[in-house]
Amino acid sequence: RVYVECKPKDGYNVKKVTATDTVTGDTLSVSQSTTDKNIYYFTMPEHPVNVYVEFQEGYAIKIADTKYGKVTASAENADEDDIIYITVKPNDGYALTRLKIETDGGDTVLAEKSSFGTYYYFYMPDDNVTVTATFGIAHKEMPFTDVYTYSWFHDAVQFVYDNDIMNGVSDTSFNPDGTVTRGMIVTML
């Protein structure tokens, strides 16, 4: 294995590293180190290799792979203090449960939600960042005044309400301490 260390000037980052076999013309598989963002590895073939490193101005904005939704950033790279907009679109039936923006150095970047509620924004630090979004099942807003979030039965009531198994005894009451009748059981089934 051969490693290439790329040292970008301040305000620049590595955009792409490619290695090509000079005899066969094959492009080699190049991997980024998990411990040092500026070190790239490839397996040396039998022939000489050309290594090409492309730098870009600004710091990189990476979007981590997500399940159950899509995340986009207003730019792929930016200068320090630029405003970056993050658009989050959950799949049907899902909602954003966590948005994390972290620098390569391990610092967390604060993201603000827009007043329109359709996107988030943050100020670019002087380091590359990775945006990670976590999506979970979207819950219906429960109208029940007798089911508190700290109640031991809250999650069970949320489940039956989300899945239209039970709707409560009125528009605002679930009556968790009430008696279940045979008719209610038949309706649930």
PDB file of all heavy atoms in Angstrom, residues 1-6 8 13-18 28-43 53-56 60 62 104 127-130:
ATOM      1  N   ARG A   1       0.856  -1.193   0.000  1.00  0.00           N
ATOM      2  CA  ARG A   1       0.000   0.000   0.000  1.00  0.00           C
ATOM      3  C   ARG A   1       0.884   1.231   0.000  1.00  0.00           C
ATOM      4  O   ARG A   1       1.897   1.286   0.662  1.00  0.00           O
ATOM      5  CB  ARG A   1      -0.894  -0.013   1.215  1.00  0.00           C
ATOM      6  CG  ARG A   1      -1.924  -1.135   1.129  1.00  0.00           C
ATOM      7  CD  ARG A   1      -3.068  -1.031   2.095  1.00  0.00           C
ATOM      8  NE  ARG A   1      -3.749   0.213   2.196  1.00  0.00           N
ATOM      9  CZ  ARG A   1      -4.925   0.498   1.624  1.00  0.00           C
ATOM     10  NH1 ARG A   1      -5.509  -0.384   0.866  1.00  0.00           N
ATOM     11  NH2 ARG A   1      -5.504   1.646   1.813  1.00  0.00           N
ATOM     12  N   VAL A   2       0.450   2.203  -0.754  1.00  0.00           N
ATOM     13  CA  VAL A   2       1.163   3.474  -0.852  1.00  0.00           C
ATOM     14  C   VAL A   2       0.246   4.552  -0.288  1.00  0.00           C
ATOM     15  O   VAL A   2      -0.963   4.512  -0.496  1.00  0.00           O
ATOM     16  CB  VAL A   2       1.493   3.798  -2.330  1.00  0.00           C
ATOM     17  CG1 VAL A   2       2.124   5.166  -2.463  1.00  0.00           C
ATOM     18  CG2 VAL A   2       2.393   2.732  -2.919  1.00  0.00           C
ATOM     19  N   TYR A   3       0.817   5.484   0.447  1.00  0.00           N
ATOM     20  CA  TYR A   3      -0.013   6.585   0.914  1.00  0.00           C
ATOM     21  C   TYR A   3       0.517   7.897   0.371  1.00  0.00           C
ATOM     22  O   TYR A   3       1.703   8.073   0.135  1.00  0.00           O
ATOM     23  CB  TYR A   3      -0.134   6.601   2.449  1.00  0.00           C
ATOM     24  CG  TYR A   3       1.045   7.167   3.182  1.00  0.00           C
ATOM     25  CD1 TYR A   3       1.093   8.527   3.489  1.00  0.00           C
ATOM     26  CD2 TYR A   3       2.094   6.356   3.599  1.00  0.00           C
ATOM     27  CE1 TYR A   3       2.163   9.050   4.177  1.00  0.00           C
ATOM     28  CE2 TYR A   3       3.163   6.879   4.283  1.00  0.00           C
ATOM     29  CZ  TYR A   3       3.197   8.227   4.579  1.00  0.00           C
ATOM     30  OH  TYR A   3       4.261   8.758   5.254  1.00  0.00           O
ATOM     31  N   VAL A   4      -0.415   8.820   0.143  1.00  0.00           N
ATOM     32  CA  VAL A   4      -0.100  10.150  -0.362  1.00  0.00           C
ATOM     33  C   VAL A   4      -0.613  11.136   0.676  1.00  0.00           C
ATOM     34  O   VAL A   4      -1.777  11.092   1.055  1.00  0.00           O
ATOM     35  CB  VAL A   4      -0.805  10.406  -1.715  1.00  0.00           C
ATOM     36  CG1 VAL A   4      -0.534  11.822  -2.201  1.00  0.00           C
ATOM     37  CG2 VAL A   4      -0.383   9.378  -2.741  1.00  0.00           C
ATOM     38  N   GLU A   5       0.254  12.010   1.142  1.00  0.00           N
ATOM     39  CA  GLU A   5      -0.166  13.037   2.087  1.00  0.00           C
ATOM     40  C   GLU A   5      -0.331  14.343   1.334  1.00  0.00           C
ATOM     41  O   GLU A   5       0.588  14.816   0.676  1.00  0.00           O
ATOM     42  CB  GLU A   5       0.850  13.206   3.211  1.00  0.00           C
ATOM     43  CG  GLU A   5       0.400  14.194   4.260  1.00  0.00           C
ATOM     44  CD  GLU A   5       1.335  14.270   5.461  1.00  0.00           C
ATOM     45  OE1 GLU A   5       2.379  13.594   5.451  1.00  0.00           O
ATOM     46  OE2 GLU A   5       1.008  15.021   6.380  1.00  0.00           O
ATOM     47  N   CYS A   6      -1.527  14.917   1.411  1.00  0.00           N
ATOM     48  CA  CYS A   6      -1.851  16.159   0.715  1.00  0.00           C
ATOM     49  C   CYS A   6      -1.962  17.266   1.756  1.00  0.00           C
ATOM     50  O   CYS A   6      -2.699  17.138   2.715  1.00  0.00           O
ATOM     51  CB  CYS A   6      -3.179  16.026  -0.015  1.00  0.00           C
ATOM     52  SG  CYS A   6      -3.279  14.572  -1.070  1.00  0.00           S
ATOM     53  N   PRO A   8      -3.089  20.934   1.923  1.00  0.00           N
ATOM     54  CA  PRO A   8      -3.654  22.132   1.300  1.00  0.00           C
ATOM     55  C   PRO A   8      -3.270  23.393   2.077  1.00  0.00           C
ATOM     56  O   PRO A   8      -3.039  23.340   3.290  1.00  0.00           O
ATOM     57  CB  PRO A   8      -5.153  21.897   1.350  1.00  0.00           C
ATOM     58  CG  PRO A   8      -5.360  20.871   2.401  1.00  0.00           C
ATOM     59  CD  PRO A   8      -4.090  20.090   2.515  1.00  0.00           C
ATOM     60  N   ASN A  13      -9.060  22.849   0.537  1.00  0.00           N
ATOM     61  CA  ASN A  13      -9.185  21.468   0.960  1.00  0.00           C
ATOM     62  C   ASN A  13      -9.009  20.571  -0.253  1.00  0.00           C
ATOM     63  O   ASN A  13      -9.021  21.031  -1.393  1.00  0.00           O
ATOM     64  CB  ASN A  13     -10.530  21.214   1.658  1.00  0.00           C
ATOM     65  CG  ASN A  13     -11.709  21.382   0.737  1.00  0.00           C
ATOM     66  OD1 ASN A  13     -11.901  20.587  -0.170  1.00  0.00           O
ATOM     67  ND2 ASN A  13     -12.500  22.412   0.957  1.00  0.00           N
ATOM     68  N   VAL A  14      -8.813  19.294   0.009  1.00  0.00           N
ATOM     69  CA  VAL A  14      -8.642  18.319  -1.059  1.00  0.00           C
ATOM     70  C   VAL A  14     -10.017  17.993  -1.627  1.00  0.00           C
ATOM     71  O   VAL A  14     -10.908  17.576  -0.902  1.00  0.00           O
ATOM     72  CB  VAL A  14      -7.958  17.033  -0.530  1.00  0.00           C
ATOM     73  CG1 VAL A  14      -7.868  15.995  -1.638  1.00  0.00           C
ATOM     74  CG2 VAL A  14      -6.588  17.354   0.034  1.00  0.00           C
ATOM     75  N   LYS A  15     -10.166  18.192  -2.930  1.00  0.00           N
ATOM     76  CA  LYS A  15     -11.435  17.865  -3.591  1.00  0.00           C
ATOM     77  C   LYS A  15     -11.432  16.425  -4.075  1.00  0.00           C
ATOM     78  O   LYS A  15     -12.397  15.700  -3.889  1.00  0.00           O
ATOM     79  CB  LYS A  15     -11.679  18.800  -4.769  1.00  0.00           C
ATOM     80  CG  LYS A  15     -12.992  18.538  -5.479  1.00  0.00           C
ATOM     81  CD  LYS A  15     -13.238  19.543  -6.576  1.00  0.00           C
ATOM     82  CE  LYS A  15     -14.593  19.278  -7.227  1.00  0.00           C
ATOM     83  NZ  LYS A  15     -14.874  20.266  -8.272  1.00  0.00           N
ATOM     84  N   LYS A  16     -10.301  15.995  -4.669  1.00  0.00           N
ATOM     85  CA  LYS A  16     -10.264  14.656  -5.248  1.00  0.00           C
ATOM     86  C   LYS A  16      -8.814  14.210  -5.416  1.00  0.00           C
ATOM     87  O   LYS A  16      -7.948  15.002  -5.748  1.00  0.00           O
ATOM     88  CB  LYS A  16     -10.974  14.688  -6.602  1.00  0.00           C
ATOM     89  CG  LYS A  16     -11.119  13.347  -7.278  1.00  0.00           C
ATOM     90  CD  LYS A  16     -12.144  13.407  -8.396  1.00  0.00           C
ATOM     91  CE  LYS A  16     -11.481  13.613  -9.724  1.00  0.00           C
ATOM     92  NZ  LYS A  16     -12.391  13.535 -10.870  1.00  0.00           N
ATOM     93  N   VAL A  17      -8.560  12.916  -5.178  1.00  0.00           N
ATOM     94  CA  VAL A  17      -7.255  12.311  -5.419  1.00  0.00           C
ATOM     95  C   VAL A  17      -7.483  11.128  -6.354  1.00  0.00           C
ATOM     96  O   VAL A  17      -8.313  10.267  -6.074  1.00  0.00           O
ATOM     97  CB  VAL A  17      -6.586  11.830  -4.108  1.00  0.00           C
ATOM     98  CG1 VAL A  17      -5.272  11.134  -4.405  1.00  0.00           C
ATOM     99  CG2 VAL A  17      -6.377  12.989  -3.154  1.00  0.00           C
ATOM    100  N   THR A  18      -6.754  11.106  -7.467  1.00  0.00           N
ATOM    101  CA  THR A  18      -6.858   9.983  -8.401  1.00  0.00           C
ATOM    102  C   THR A  18      -5.472   9.439  -8.686  1.00  0.00           C
ATOM    103  O   THR A  18      -4.482  10.175  -8.693  1.00  0.00           O
ATOM    104  CB  THR A  18      -7.518  10.396  -9.734  1.00  0.00           C
ATOM    105  OG1 THR A  18      -6.797  11.492 -10.290  1.00  0.00           O
ATOM    106  CG2 THR A  18      -8.957  10.786  -9.549  1.00  0.00           C
ATOM    107  N   LEU A  28      -6.946   3.563 -10.340  1.00  0.00           N
ATOM    108  CA  LEU A  28      -6.829   2.766  -9.119  1.00  0.00           C
ATOM    109  C   LEU A  28      -7.829   3.245  -8.072  1.00  0.00           C
ATOM    110  O   LEU A  28      -8.232   4.405  -8.064  1.00  0.00           O
ATOM    111  CB  LEU A  28      -5.409   2.862  -8.565  1.00  0.00           C
ATOM    112  CG  LEU A  28      -4.282   2.510  -9.547  1.00  0.00           C
ATOM    113  CD1 LEU A  28      -2.937   2.766  -8.908  1.00  0.00           C
ATOM    114  CD2 LEU A  28      -4.401   1.070  -9.984  1.00  0.00           C
ATOM    115  N   SER A  29      -8.201   2.359  -7.180  1.00  0.00           N
ATOM    116  CA  SER A  29      -9.080   2.699  -6.073  1.00  0.00           C
ATOM    117  C   SER A  29      -8.272   3.449  -5.014  1.00  0.00           C
ATOM    118  O   SER A  29      -7.288   2.923  -4.497  1.00  0.00           O
ATOM    119  CB  SER A  29      -9.682   1.425  -5.483  1.00  0.00           C
ATOM    120  OG  SER A  29     -10.443   1.737  -4.351  1.00  0.00           O
ATOM    121  N   VAL A  30      -8.690   4.683  -4.696  1.00  0.00           N
ATOM    122  CA  VAL A  30      -8.006   5.517  -3.711  1.00  0.00           C
ATOM    123  C   VAL A  30      -8.947   5.703  -2.526  1.00  0.00           C
ATOM    124  O   VAL A  30     -10.107   6.070  -2.698  1.00  0.00           O
ATOM    125  CB  VAL A  30      -7.613   6.876  -4.311  1.00  0.00           C
ATOM    126  CG1 VAL A  30      -6.949   7.754  -3.265  1.00  0.00           C
ATOM    127  CG2 VAL A  30      -6.700   6.693  -5.517  1.00  0.00           C
ATOM    128  N   SER A  31      -8.437   5.471  -1.313  1.00  0.00           N
ATOM    129  CA  SER A  31      -9.244   5.605  -0.094  1.00  0.00           C
ATOM    130  C   SER A  31      -8.664   6.681   0.796  1.00  0.00           C
ATOM    131  O   SER A  31      -7.444   6.815   0.910  1.00  0.00           O
ATOM    132  CB  SER A  31      -9.267   4.290   0.682  1.00  0.00           C
ATOM    133  OG  SER A  31      -9.767   3.256  -0.112  1.00  0.00           O
ATOM    134  N   GLN A  32      -9.555   7.414   1.470  1.00  0.00           N
ATOM    135  CA  GLN A  32      -9.130   8.423   2.424  1.00  0.00           C
ATOM    136  C   GLN A  32      -8.927   7.773   3.786  1.00  0.00           C
ATOM    137  O   GLN A  32      -9.696   6.905   4.194  1.00  0.00           O
ATOM    138  CB  GLN A  32     -10.165   9.530   2.526  1.00  0.00           C
ATOM    139  CG  GLN A  32      -9.735  10.695   3.407  1.00  0.00           C
ATOM    140  CD  GLN A  32     -10.770  11.808   3.420  1.00  0.00           C
ATOM    141  OE1 GLN A  32     -11.938  11.599   3.117  1.00  0.00           O
ATOM    142  NE2 GLN A  32     -10.342  12.996   3.770  1.00  0.00           N
ATOM    143  N   SER A  33      -7.890   8.188   4.491  1.00  0.00           N
ATOM    144  CA  SER A  33      -7.619   7.668   5.824  1.00  0.00           C
ATOM    145  C   SER A  33      -8.754   8.050   6.767  1.00  0.00           C
ATOM    146  O   SER A  33      -9.313   9.141   6.666  1.00  0.00           O
ATOM    147  CB  SER A  33      -6.300   8.245   6.345  1.00  0.00           C
ATOM    148  OG  SER A  33      -6.139   7.964   7.712  1.00  0.00           O
ATOM    149  N   THR A  34      -9.076   7.165   7.686  1.00  0.00           N
ATOM    150  CA  THR A  34     -10.116   7.471   8.672  1.00  0.00           C
ATOM    151  C   THR A  34      -9.571   8.277   9.848  1.00  0.00           C
ATOM    152  O   THR A  34     -10.330   8.862  10.606  1.00  0.00           O
ATOM    153  CB  THR A  34     -10.747   6.175   9.218  1.00  0.00           C
ATOM    154  OG1 THR A  34      -9.709   5.359   9.770  1.00  0.00           O
ATOM    155  CG2 THR A  34     -11.482   5.427   8.124  1.00  0.00           C
ATOM    156  N   THR A  35      -8.255   8.332   9.985  1.00  0.00           N
ATOM    157  CA  THR A  35      -7.656   9.056  11.102  1.00  0.00           C
ATOM    158  C   THR A  35      -7.039  10.391  10.704  1.00  0.00           C
ATOM    159  O   THR A  35      -6.909  11.276  11.536  1.00  0.00           O
ATOM    160  CB  THR A  35      -6.580   8.198  11.794  1.00  0.00           C
ATOM    161  OG1 THR A  35      -5.593   7.824  10.831  1.00  0.00           O
ATOM    162  CG2 THR A  35      -7.201   6.962  12.421  1.00  0.00           C
ATOM    163  N   ASP A  36      -6.652  10.559   9.450  1.00  0.00           N
ATOM    164  CA  ASP A  36      -6.063  11.816   8.988  1.00  0.00           C
ATOM    165  C   ASP A  36      -6.702  12.178   7.660  1.00  0.00           C
ATOM    166  O   ASP A  36      -6.502  11.500   6.657  1.00  0.00           O
ATOM    167  CB  ASP A  36      -4.551  11.686   8.827  1.00  0.00           C
ATOM    168  CG  ASP A  36      -3.858  13.003   8.522  1.00  0.00           C
ATOM    169  OD1 ASP A  36      -4.505  13.916   7.967  1.00  0.00           O
ATOM    170  OD2 ASP A  36      -2.659  13.127   8.813  1.00  0.00           O
ATOM    171  N   LYS A  37      -7.458  13.278   7.651  1.00  0.00           N
ATOM    172  CA  LYS A  37      -8.230  13.649   6.467  1.00  0.00           C
ATOM    173  C   LYS A  37      -7.379  13.965   5.251  1.00  0.00           C
ATOM    174  O   LYS A  37      -7.875  13.986   4.132  1.00  0.00           O
ATOM    175  CB  LYS A  37      -9.129  14.841   6.786  1.00  0.00           C
ATOM    176  CG  LYS A  37      -8.341  16.097   7.104  1.00  0.00           C
ATOM    177  CD  LYS A  37      -9.217  17.256   7.431  1.00  0.00           C
ATOM    178  CE  LYS A  37      -8.342  18.459   7.760  1.00  0.00           C
ATOM    179  NZ  LYS A  37      -9.064  19.674   7.846  1.00  0.00           N
ATOM    180  N   ASN A  38      -6.094  14.210   5.418  1.00  0.00           N
ATOM    181  CA  ASN A  38      -5.231  14.585   4.301  1.00  0.00           C
ATOM    182  C   ASN A  38      -4.355  13.440   3.793  1.00  0.00           C
ATOM    183  O   ASN A  38      -3.457  13.659   2.991  1.00  0.00           O
ATOM    184  CB  ASN A  38      -4.353  15.779   4.678  1.00  0.00           C
ATOM    185  CG  ASN A  38      -5.183  17.037   4.863  1.00  0.00           C
ATOM    186  OD1 ASN A  38      -6.148  17.260   4.149  1.00  0.00           O
ATOM    187  ND2 ASN A  38      -4.823  17.839   5.835  1.00  0.00           N
ATOM    188  N   ILE A  39      -4.599  12.224   4.254  1.00  0.00           N
ATOM    189  CA  ILE A  39      -3.823  11.063   3.787  1.00  0.00           C
ATOM    190  C   ILE A  39      -4.735  10.144   2.991  1.00  0.00           C
ATOM    191  O   ILE A  39      -5.843   9.819   3.425  1.00  0.00           O
ATOM    192  CB  ILE A  39      -3.173  10.316   4.963  1.00  0.00           C
ATOM    193  CG1 ILE A  39      -2.105  11.213   5.601  1.00  0.00           C
ATOM    194  CG2 ILE A  39      -2.556   9.005   4.486  1.00  0.00           C
ATOM    195  CD1 ILE A  39      -1.355  10.588   6.745  1.00  0.00           C
ATOM    196  N   TYR A  40      -4.257   9.740   1.813  1.00  0.00           N
ATOM    197  CA  TYR A  40      -5.002   8.874   0.904  1.00  0.00           C
ATOM    198  C   TYR A  40      -4.147   7.652   0.588  1.00  0.00           C
ATOM    199  O   TYR A  40      -2.923   7.758   0.469  1.00  0.00           O
ATOM    200  CB  TYR A  40      -5.358   9.626  -0.383  1.00  0.00           C
ATOM    201  CG  TYR A  40      -6.332  10.755  -0.126  1.00  0.00           C
ATOM    202  CD1 TYR A  40      -5.901  11.988   0.365  1.00  0.00           C
ATOM    203  CD2 TYR A  40      -7.678  10.575  -0.344  1.00  0.00           C
ATOM    204  CE1 TYR A  40      -6.792  13.004   0.623  1.00  0.00           C
ATOM    205  CE2 TYR A  40      -8.589  11.586  -0.083  1.00  0.00           C
ATOM    206  CZ  TYR A  40      -8.143  12.799   0.397  1.00  0.00           C
ATOM    207  OH  TYR A  40      -9.018  13.801   0.660  1.00  0.00           O
ATOM    208  N   TYR A  41      -4.798   6.493   0.452  1.00  0.00           N
ATOM    209  CA  TYR A  41      -4.106   5.221   0.221  1.00  0.00           C
ATOM    210  C   TYR A  41      -4.532   4.599  -1.104  1.00  0.00           C
ATOM    211  O   TYR A  41      -5.670   4.761  -1.528  1.00  0.00           O
ATOM    212  CB  TYR A  41      -4.457   4.218   1.326  1.00  0.00           C
ATOM    213  CG  TYR A  41      -3.987   4.602   2.696  1.00  0.00           C
ATOM    214  CD1 TYR A  41      -4.797   5.356   3.544  1.00  0.00           C
ATOM    215  CD2 TYR A  41      -2.742   4.196   3.153  1.00  0.00           C
ATOM    216  CE1 TYR A  41      -4.369   5.690   4.816  1.00  0.00           C
ATOM    217  CE2 TYR A  41      -2.311   4.530   4.422  1.00  0.00           C
ATOM    218  CZ  TYR A  41      -3.125   5.283   5.247  1.00  0.00           C
ATOM    219  OH  TYR A  41      -2.704   5.620   6.496  1.00  0.00           O
ATOM    220  N   PHE A  42      -3.598   3.858  -1.720  1.00  0.00           N
ATOM    221  CA  PHE A  42      -3.934   2.994  -2.842  1.00  0.00           C
ATOM    222  C   PHE A  42      -2.926   1.861  -2.886  1.00  0.00           C
ATOM    223  O   PHE A  42      -1.848   1.937  -2.292  1.00  0.00           O
ATOM    224  CB  PHE A  42      -3.985   3.755  -4.186  1.00  0.00           C
ATOM    225  CG  PHE A  42      -2.677   4.342  -4.630  1.00  0.00           C
ATOM    226  CD1 PHE A  42      -1.799   3.599  -5.419  1.00  0.00           C
ATOM    227  CD2 PHE A  42      -2.313   5.635  -4.282  1.00  0.00           C
ATOM    228  CE1 PHE A  42      -0.593   4.138  -5.848  1.00  0.00           C
ATOM    229  CE2 PHE A  42      -1.121   6.176  -4.694  1.00  0.00           C
ATOM    230  CZ  PHE A  42      -0.249   5.421  -5.494  1.00  0.00           C
ATOM    231  N   THR A  43      -3.281   0.783  -3.579  1.00  0.00           N
ATOM    232  CA  THR A  43      -2.388  -0.367  -3.732  1.00  0.00           C
ATOM    233  C   THR A  43      -1.586  -0.174  -5.017  1.00  0.00           C
ATOM    234  O   THR A  43      -2.165   0.025  -6.091  1.00  0.00           O
ATOM    235  CB  THR A  43      -3.193  -1.678  -3.798  1.00  0.00           C
ATOM    236  OG1 THR A  43      -3.954  -1.786  -2.579  1.00  0.00           O
ATOM    237  CG2 THR A  43      -2.268  -2.886  -3.918  1.00  0.00           C
ATOM    238  N   VAL A  53      -3.840  15.301  -7.625  1.00  0.00           N
ATOM    239  CA  VAL A  53      -4.554  15.837  -6.467  1.00  0.00           C
ATOM    240  C   VAL A  53      -5.201  17.150  -6.890  1.00  0.00           C
ATOM    241  O   VAL A  53      -4.525  18.048  -7.386  1.00  0.00           O
ATOM    242  CB  VAL A  53      -3.612  16.074  -5.266  1.00  0.00           C
ATOM    243  CG1 VAL A  53      -4.393  16.641  -4.081  1.00  0.00           C
ATOM    244  CG2 VAL A  53      -2.892  14.799  -4.880  1.00  0.00           C
ATOM    245  N   GLU A  54      -6.534  17.230  -6.697  1.00  0.00           N
ATOM    246  CA  GLU A  54      -7.259  18.448  -7.040  1.00  0.00           C
ATOM    247  C   GLU A  54      -7.689  19.133  -5.743  1.00  0.00           C
ATOM    248  O   GLU A  54      -8.324  18.521  -4.880  1.00  0.00           O
ATOM    249  CB  GLU A  54      -8.489  18.099  -7.882  1.00  0.00           C
ATOM    250  CG  GLU A  54      -9.228  19.305  -8.386  1.00  0.00           C
ATOM    251  CD  GLU A  54     -10.415  18.931  -9.264  1.00  0.00           C
ATOM    252  OE1 GLU A  54     -10.539  17.762  -9.679  1.00  0.00           O
ATOM    253  OE2 GLU A  54     -11.234  19.825  -9.519  1.00  0.00           O
ATOM    254  N   PHE A  55      -7.294  20.395  -5.610  1.00  0.00           N
ATOM    255  CA  PHE A  55      -7.658  21.189  -4.438  1.00  0.00           C
ATOM    256  C   PHE A  55      -8.774  22.147  -4.823  1.00  0.00           C
ATOM    257  O   PHE A  55      -8.935  22.501  -5.985  1.00  0.00           O
ATOM    258  CB  PHE A  55      -6.451  21.997  -3.938  1.00  0.00           C
ATOM    259  CG  PHE A  55      -5.320  21.152  -3.437  1.00  0.00           C
ATOM    260  CD1 PHE A  55      -4.260  20.801  -4.271  1.00  0.00           C
ATOM    261  CD2 PHE A  55      -5.314  20.697  -2.129  1.00  0.00           C
ATOM    262  CE1 PHE A  55      -3.214  20.022  -3.800  1.00  0.00           C
ATOM    263  CE2 PHE A  55      -4.270  19.914  -1.658  1.00  0.00           C
ATOM    264  CZ  PHE A  55      -3.219  19.576  -2.495  1.00  0.00           C
ATOM    265  N   GLN A  56      -9.543  22.556  -3.826  1.00  0.00           N
ATOM    266  CA  GLN A  56     -10.570  23.571  -4.059  1.00  0.00           C
ATOM    267  C   GLN A  56     -10.527  24.588  -2.935  1.00  0.00           C
ATOM    268  O   GLN A  56     -10.145  24.278  -1.813  1.00  0.00           O
ATOM    269  CB  GLN A  56     -11.951  22.944  -4.173  1.00  0.00           C
ATOM    270  CG  GLN A  56     -12.437  22.251  -2.920  1.00  0.00           C
ATOM    271  CD  GLN A  56     -13.755  21.541  -3.147  1.00  0.00           C
ATOM    272  OE1 GLN A  56     -14.254  21.468  -4.252  1.00  0.00           O
ATOM    273  NE2 GLN A  56     -14.331  21.005  -2.089  1.00  0.00           N
ATOM    274  N   ALA A  60     -14.649  21.969   2.947  1.00  0.00           N
ATOM    275  CA  ALA A  60     -15.628  21.028   2.391  1.00  0.00           C
ATOM    276  C   ALA A  60     -16.839  20.859   3.304  1.00  0.00           C
ATOM    277  O   ALA A  60     -16.722  20.867   4.526  1.00  0.00           O
ATOM    278  CB  ALA A  60     -14.972  19.669   2.157  1.00  0.00           C
ATOM    279  N   LYS A  62     -19.589  18.022   3.736  1.00  0.00           N
ATOM    280  CA  LYS A  62     -19.956  16.656   3.362  1.00  0.00           C
ATOM    281  C   LYS A  62     -21.307  16.322   3.977  1.00  0.00           C
ATOM    282  O   LYS A  62     -21.576  16.682   5.118  1.00  0.00           O
ATOM    283  CB  LYS A  62     -18.902  15.666   3.863  1.00  0.00           C
ATOM    284  CG  LYS A  62     -17.515  15.885   3.298  1.00  0.00           C
ATOM    285  CD  LYS A  62     -16.502  14.981   3.975  1.00  0.00           C
ATOM    286  CE  LYS A  62     -15.228  15.755   4.169  1.00  0.00           C
ATOM    287  NZ  LYS A  62     -14.435  15.318   5.271  1.00  0.00           N
ATOM    288  N   ASP A 104     -14.145  18.379  11.139  1.00  0.00           N
ATOM    289  CA  ASP A 104     -13.174  17.280  11.126  1.00  0.00           C
ATOM    290  C   ASP A 104     -12.394  17.227  12.431  1.00  0.00           C
ATOM    291  O   ASP A 104     -11.924  16.173  12.840  1.00  0.00           O
ATOM    292  CB  ASP A 104     -12.208  17.424   9.946  1.00  0.00           C
ATOM    293  CG  ASP A 104     -12.836  17.014   8.624  1.00  0.00           C
ATOM    294  OD1 ASP A 104     -13.957  16.464   8.632  1.00  0.00           O
ATOM    295  OD2 ASP A 104     -12.195  17.241   7.583  1.00  0.00           O
ATOM    296  N   ASP A 127     -12.925  24.935   9.174  1.00  0.00           N
ATOM    297  CA  ASP A 127     -12.610  23.507   9.069  1.00  0.00           C
ATOM    298  C   ASP A 127     -13.686  22.846   8.206  1.00  0.00           C
ATOM    299  O   ASP A 127     -14.777  23.396   8.041  1.00  0.00           O
ATOM    300  CB  ASP A 127     -12.608  22.863  10.461  1.00  0.00           C
ATOM    301  CG  ASP A 127     -11.896  21.518  10.507  1.00  0.00           C
ATOM    302  OD1 ASP A 127     -11.482  21.016   9.443  1.00  0.00           O
ATOM    303  OD2 ASP A 127     -11.760  20.958  11.614  1.00  0.00           O
ATOM    304  N   ASN A 128     -13.378  21.691   7.654  1.00  0.00           N
ATOM    305  CA  ASN A 128     -14.370  20.907   6.920  1.00  0.00           C
ATOM    306  C   ASN A 128     -15.452  20.444   7.891  1.00  0.00           C
ATOM    307  O   ASN A 128     -15.176  20.227   9.071  1.00  0.00           O
ATOM    308  CB  ASN A 128     -13.726  19.683   6.272  1.00  0.00           C
ATOM    309  CG  ASN A 128     -12.665  20.053   5.264  1.00  0.00           C
ATOM    310  OD1 ASN A 128     -12.746  21.080   4.596  1.00  0.00           O
ATOM    311  ND2 ASN A 128     -11.644  19.228   5.157  1.00  0.00           N
ATOM    312  N   VAL A 129     -16.680  20.281   7.388  1.00  0.00           N
ATOM    313  CA  VAL A 129     -17.775  19.810   8.234  1.00  0.00           C
ATOM    314  C   VAL A 129     -18.483  18.629   7.584  1.00  0.00           C
ATOM    315  O   VAL A 129     -18.464  18.472   6.367  1.00  0.00           O
ATOM    316  CB  VAL A 129     -18.809  20.922   8.532  1.00  0.00           C
ATOM    317  CG1 VAL A 129     -18.194  22.073   9.301  1.00  0.00           C
ATOM    318  CG2 VAL A 129     -19.481  21.408   7.269  1.00  0.00           C
ATOM    319  N   THR A 130     -19.112  17.823   8.441  1.00  0.00           N
ATOM    320  CA  THR A 130     -19.966  16.731   7.989  1.00  0.00           C
ATOM    321  C   THR A 130     -21.343  16.943   8.600  1.00  0.00           C
ATOM    322  O   THR A 130     -21.473  17.140   9.811  1.00  0.00           O
ATOM    323  CB  THR A 130     -19.399  15.362   8.421  1.00  0.00           C
ATOM    324  OG1 THR A 130     -18.093  15.210   7.862  1.00  0.00           O
ATOM    325  CG2 THR A 130     -20.300  14.222   7.947  1.00  0.00           C
TER     326      THR A 130
END
